[in-house]
Amino acid sequence: RVYAIQGNNSIKAQKSLSHNYLNEIKNRFKQKTIILEGIVGQKSLEYFDGLTADLLKSYENRLVITYLVDDGLIDFDMDILILDKEVILINYEKKIVVKIRNDSIRLAIKALYETMKFSSRKIDLNKYVADLIKKRSASWQYRGEIKYLN
């Protein structure tokens, strides 16, 4: 399992990345059956609104658990990935990747992640994306509905 915190400003920079590159990452997660458990803000969900139906389909049925927090809690420009033995900080806009292989730091960041979950609401991101795809055929202006779990 990979834990992630996606900064709201990071999602804007990700729009400039190659769709092939993003698809490759998603496919690797699917092939290795890696579960991505992440915390996102409302601005991150808005990313999906501008995608084509074909690109949206690449986000379908992922092994993902998603928590939605207030935008103010994650108003920064990087993604934080917490793995078994390291933490990876990614700033797409500045093209910076920092890997931290220190267990004390990893455990501290993981504890902060768990603390943020207390301020979040679990959502069904797969349903959100599926609803966007379904409604996209009826109207390009549709905005997906968020289904809260709890």
Side-chain angles (χ1 to χ4, degrees):
R1 186 174 294 217
V2 173
Y3 300 91
I5 301 171
Q6 183 171 51
N8 278 336
N9 299 327
S10 174
I11 196 70
K12 294 175 200 170
Q14 282 186 32
K15 287 184 178 182
S16 66
L17 294 176
S18 158
H19 295 304
N20 289 338
Y21 173 72
L22 293 173
N23 282 337
E24 183 181 326
I25 292 170
K26 288 181 289 197
N27 287 335
R28 284 185 187 175
F29 271 69
K30 282 182 182 179
Q31 288 170 354
K32 295 183 178 189
T33 61
I34 297 171
I35 298 170
L36 179 62
E37 181 177 320
I39 296 174
V40 302
Q42 186 67 40
K43 287 182 185 176
S44 290
L45 290 180
E46 293 170 4
Y47 166 77
F48 294 103
D49 295 336
L51 298 180
T52 65
D54 285 341
L55 196 52
L56 272 173
K57 287 179 183 177
S58 72
Y59 284 93
E60 275 186 309
N61 302 316
R62 295 188 306 155
L63 297 173
V64 63
I65 300 167
T66 309
Y67 298 93
L68 188 67
V69 296
D70 292 334
D71 284 330
L73 290 175
I74 53 174
D75 201 19
F76 48 83
D77 62 355
M78 72 173 58
D79 285 355
I80 302 168
L81 302 176
I82 307 161
L83 293 85
D84 285 338
K85 296 182 189 246
E86 65 186 356
V87 173
I88 303 173
L89 309 173
I90 305 168
N91 182 312
Y92 296 101
E93 185 178 20
K94 295 179 181 172
K95 296 181 173 67
I96 297 172
V97 176
V98 176
K99 289 185 178 185
I100 301 170
R101 292 186 180 109
N102 178 292
D103 209 44
S104 315
I105 294 172
R106 186 188 63 77
L107 291 172
I109 293 173
K110 178 70 165 54
L112 291 171
Y113 173 89
E114 294 297 334
T115 302
M116 287 182 79
K117 276 178 38 177
F118 285 113
S119 299
S120 71
R121 300 211 39 189
K122 191 173 184 182
I123 64 168
D124 186 340
L125 186 61
N126 283 318
K127 182 172 180 355
Y128 180 84
V129 170
D131 286 349
L132 273 175
I133 292 168
K134 190 166 105 179
K135 300 291 182 178
R136 186 65 48 88
S137 59
S139 168
W140 178 253
Q141 298 299 318
Y142 174 77
R143 182 168 170 82
E145 297 173 23
I146 300 171
K147 178 182 176 188
Y148 291 100
L149 307 173
N150 288 6

